[in-house]
Amino acid sequence: MAQLIKQGNVTADTWKTLEIGEGETPETVVLPAGDVIFPLAVWLARKNEIVSCHKRIGLLLLPDDKVEDVAADLEYFVVVAVHFPKFVDGRGYSTAALLRQRYHYQGELRAVGDVLHDQLFFMQRVGFDSYALKDGKDAIHAIGKGFAPFSETYQASTDQPEPHFRRRTA
């Protein structure tokens, strides 16, 4: 089970992620009770049913999913999980930046999948605030080393909208 880092601490993950099994479709998959992170395909196919049955709703965005497809629905989601299928796939960074900067998503933004401590600083820069580390990775090491590899940032980003030259002259 992946270790969840949230607010700088290792935290128990109370959310279940719905997986569509072989032979199932978004329309036929059984919706579990409790706090569930639903894949985008299930959300789009069964939005009304999910809203009527669940108090706290999460959304899973895969690399090929488009944020624009759920931009009008972001108010429903307590957590949006963005999946990183492998270390070298950076599409999740763009998804996070869009959610925070263009669509002003204020809920929990979670990185899931192939999440390593080397990525945490950059994920935080684009707006992630929780991280489900890849199985087998040391969360304490990640917290100690992953969030501050640099003492100063030059570029503007979600977590620091002012570039360094503006901060320096202020």
Side-chain angles (χ1 to χ4, degrees):
M1 178 177 232
Q3 297 180 71
L4 182 64
I5 298 174
K6 188 173 178 181
Q7 299 173 341
N9 296 304
V10 179
T11 307
D13 188 1
T14 61
W15 290 84
K16 295 180 273 187
T17 301
L18 178 65
E19 296 182 17
I20 301 173
E22 191 173 319
E24 293 181 313
T25 66
E27 294 81 9
T28 62
V29 67
V30 175
L31 302 181
D35 295 340
V36 181
I37 298 175
F38 294 97
L40 177 62
V42 175
W43 172 256
L44 293 175
R46 299 170 71 179
K47 174 182 170 180
N48 293 334
E49 182 181 357
I50 293 169
V51 169
S52 69
C53 295
H54 291 81
K55 292 182 177 158
R56 293 173 22 109
I57 302 168
L59 177 70
L60 175 64
L61 293 174
L62 300 175
D64 289 331
D65 292 339
K66 304 223 179 305
V67 176
E68 296 80 8
D69 292 343
V70 291
D73 297 337
L74 290 175
E75 66 191 56
Y76 292 108
F77 308 122
V78 175
V79 59
V80 173
V82 178
H83 187 259
F84 287 81
K86 53 188 172 182
F87 178 78
V88 296
D89 190 336
R91 292 176 286 179
Y93 293 96
S94 299
T95 298
L98 284 170
L99 284 165
R100 292 291 195 211
Q101 295 171 11
R102 182 178 296 170
Y103 298 111
H104 308 289
Y105 177 68
Q106 298 298 310
E108 179 183 339
L109 188 54
R110 181 181 296 186
V112 299
D114 194 9
V115 177
L116 307 173
H117 83 274
D118 297 352
Q119 301 164 292
L120 299 180
F121 173 78
F122 302 104
M123 289 176 169
Q124 182 177 9
R125 297 271 296 143
V126 297
F128 286 102
D129 54 10
S130 68
Y131 316 85
L133 290 181
K134 183 178 180 177
D135 287 339
K137 298 301 174 183
D138 183 357
I140 302 303
H141 173 75
I143 291 169
K145 300 286 185 186
F147 290 104
F150 305 106
S151 60
E152 190 62 63
T153 57
Y154 291 101
Q155 303 85 1
S157 190
T158 302
D159 71 337
Q160 178 53 264
E162 291 288 318
H164 184 265
F165 75 91
R166 289 217 172 104
R167 296 189 313 264
R168 189 182 63 186
T169 60

